[in-house]
Amino acid sequence: MDFETLCIHGNNNKYDNTGAISVPIFQTATFAHPGVGESTGYDYTRQQNPTREHLENILTRMEEGVDAMAFSSGMAAISAVMELFSPGDHIIASDDLYGGSHRLFHHISIKNGISFDLVDTADLSLIEPLIRTNTRALFIETPTNPMMQVTDLAGVAEIARKHQLLLMVDNTFLTPYFQKPLKLGADIVIHSGTKYLGGHNDTIAGFVVTRDKTLADKLRFIFKTTGAGLAPFDSWLLIRGIKTLPIRMDRQQQNAGVIARWLCQQERIKAVHYVGLESHPGYQISKRQATGFGGMISFEVDSEKTAHHILEGVKLIQYAESLGGVESLITYPMLQTHGDIPEEQREAKGINNRLLRLSVGIESVNDLIDELDRVLKETVQ
């Protein structure tokens, strides 16, 4: 089954005989038992619910794994994965991470006895020198948020196998439509389903997908025990959103490519970070391991004043956190997504008071460029 069809018909399980085209929302907390010691297969929604199960089966097939778990948020998904580790364990992670992941690792996981080394995983030669006897895993974002660095997943998977490390990949920016980390050697894939998978900025969700049955069983136990499963109605929203994932991402990528090239020609734009630009350091790796570049652009303007003017002057493009929806959103990473990262670390990565992050939507690209052109010209006056 082709991916586009899979997004619509990826789980053909029917839960009734009404002929309903839309998956039913099983809005129930608990399920009755047919008899003592008997079960319908569903006992309590915290453990499993038919609507959520339908969604999880679709994600499993999309990522080509053995099991997927749908969480109440992307951070709930990462938090559950961190429960695989014990005090004294060490993890190597990309040094350009979503701010929420950085906050979790440095304020919660470290408190729980797990240590971290952050490194530019786009340079594979920097990873092995950090591996210790207590290193247990590698945590990779690619492309990274917000600097769009690209890690060679097949290369890092080889390092993980050599040292018997778990490889975890945050695949939020590209989704399985453009990139399939499990096929490239990852053990666990993580998503913020809030973003491209949901696609409409109307619900929060997260996913963990794995290719190993033993690992899946461990994660299922954590999932059931910690209790952050996605609610039935939110599961239905994700099922609906995924149906249009390919056509949304194709349009977002098309728009992003046009906008990124336009930005490169603007005098007040000093740097453009978009993986689909041939000048991007990760362009060739992306061509090899992914089928698309996505719809995320970060760019640096000439001054803090210009950055503030753009944020306060946009109307069609909205100044808001999050990404991946049909609406274009612009974000100020240093204050929003990465506000909790120490200033020195932010600045070292280029996350300064001149950097903006643009999540390109599916609007007319001409309207989006007209908007950006207007606010950039206004900054001159």
Side-chain angles (χ1 to χ4, degrees), residues 145-148 263 268-269 271-273 296-312 314 319 329-337 350-359 372 375-376:
N145 182 4
M147 301 308 294
M148 310 300 162
L263 287 169
R268 304 187 79 86
I269 307 299
V272 179
H273 308 285
M296 297 300 302
I297 305 170
S298 290
F299 60 97
E300 185 176 330
V301 298
D302 58 357
S303 68
E304 181 179 12
K305 181 180 178 181
T306 299
H308 286 198
H309 179 83
I310 291 171
L311 293 168
E312 294 171 358
V314 290
Y319 173 25
L329 303 179
I330 194 164
T331 300
Y332 204 18
M334 66 161 287
L335 285 184
Q336 294 175 287
T337 56
I351 307 171
N352 54 42
N353 59 16
R354 303 178 302 281
L355 185 79
L356 301 174
R357 191 193 72 186
L358 178 64
S359 171
L372 292 168
V375 293
L376 282 171

Side-chain angles (χ1 to χ4, degrees), residues 128-141:
E128 281 195 280
L130 296 174
I131 296 175
R132 315 172 190 167
T133 56
N134 63 332
T135 302
R136 299 290 177 262
L138 305 174
F139 186 97
I140 307 295
E141 267 189 27

Side-chain angles (χ1 to χ4, degrees), residues 10-31:
N11 182 10
N12 291 320
N13 291 352
K14 303 297 182 183
Y15 296 101
D16 59 28
N17 58 5
T18 65
I21 300 300
S22 180
V23 176
I25 303 170
F26 288 85
Q27 193 63 51
T28 182
T30 191
F31 302 83

Side-chain angles (χ1 to χ4, degrees), residues 97-211:
L97 288 173
Y98 166 57
S101 301
H102 188 282
R103 182 171 58 242
L104 173 70
F105 294 167
H106 288 84
H107 293 277
I108 305 297
S109 300
I110 285 179
K111 170 183 69 67
N112 294 336
I114 301 170
S115 60
F116 294 84
D117 271 314
L118 304 185
V119 66
D120 179 4
T121 54
D123 184 348
L124 296 185
S125 69
L126 301 178
I127 297 175
E128 281 195 280
L130 296 174
I131 296 175
R132 315 172 190 167
T133 56
N134 63 332
T135 302
R136 299 290 177 262
L138 305 174
F139 186 97
I140 307 295
E141 267 189 27
T142 185
T144 60
N145 182 4
M147 301 308 294
M148 310 300 162
Q149 295 169 339
V150 176
T151 295
D152 181 344
L153 289 177
V156 80
E158 185 176 342
I159 293 172
R161 284 193 301 271
K162 176 181 175 182
H163 296 276
Q164 298 182 310
L165 305 177
L166 202 63
L167 176 56
M168 306 173 285
V169 177
D170 186 327
N171 198 30
T172 297
F173 273 18
L174 292 185
T175 82
Y177 181 52
F178 283 149
Q179 181 171 265
K180 295 188 179 182
L182 296 181
K183 292 188 69 176
L184 294 165
D187 299 292
I188 292 173
V189 170
I190 298 164
H191 290 277
S192 173
T194 312
K195 313 305 193 296
Y196 287 103
L197 293 175
H200 292 79
N201 291 319
D202 57 8
T203 192
I204 294 177
F207 294 96
V208 173
V209 191
T210 181
R211 64 187 176 113

Side-chain angles (χ1 to χ4, degrees), residues 1-106:
M1 186 181 292
D2 287 345
F3 192 91
E4 291 84 352
T5 307
L6 184 62
C7 289
I8 300 171
H9 302 286
N11 182 10
N12 291 320
N13 291 352
K14 303 297 182 183
Y15 296 101
D16 59 28
N17 58 5
T18 65
I21 300 300
S22 180
V23 176
I25 303 170
F26 288 85
Q27 193 63 51
T28 182
T30 191
F31 302 83
H33 297 279
V36 177
E38 298 179 16
S39 171
T40 62
Y42 305 98
D43 300 317
Y44 195 58
T45 282
R46 172 164 51 79
Q47 182 172 356
Q48 190 52 287
N49 175 283
T51 312
R52 186 169 70 227
E53 181 181 57
H54 188 101
L55 170 63
E56 291 173 344
N57 288 343
I58 293 172
L59 257 293
T60 299
R61 295 186 67 184
M62 287 168 65
E63 285 284 10
E64 300 188 36
V66 300
D67 195 13
M69 283 139 270
F71 289 83
S72 57
S73 70
M75 291 312 305
I78 298 175
S79 296
V81 170
M82 287 299 107
E83 294 298 327
L84 291 169
F85 305 103
S86 302
D89 287 349
H90 171 247
I91 296 172
I92 298 169
S94 301
D95 64 351
D96 182 35
L97 288 173
Y98 166 57
S101 301
H102 188 282
R103 182 171 58 242
L104 173 70
F105 294 167
H106 288 84

Side-chain angles (χ1 to χ4, degrees), residues 255-315:
N255 283 354
V258 173
I259 292 170
R261 286 168 175 79
W262 180 85
L263 287 169
C264 289
Q265 304 304 313
Q266 306 311 304
E267 183 180 353
R268 304 187 79 86
I269 307 299
K270 300 307 177 185
V272 179
H273 308 285
Y274 179 61
V275 181
L277 293 173
E278 291 82 355
S279 58
H280 189 283
Y283 178 79
Q284 291 300 332
I285 295 173
S286 282
K287 291 268 288 185
R288 186 168 68 244
Q289 70 185 16
T291 57
F293 303 111
M296 297 300 302
I297 305 170
S298 290
F299 60 97
E300 185 176 330
V301 298
D302 58 357
S303 68
E304 181 179 12
K305 181 180 178 181
T306 299
H308 286 198
H309 179 83
I310 291 171
L311 293 168
E312 294 171 358
V314 290
K315 296 176 181 177

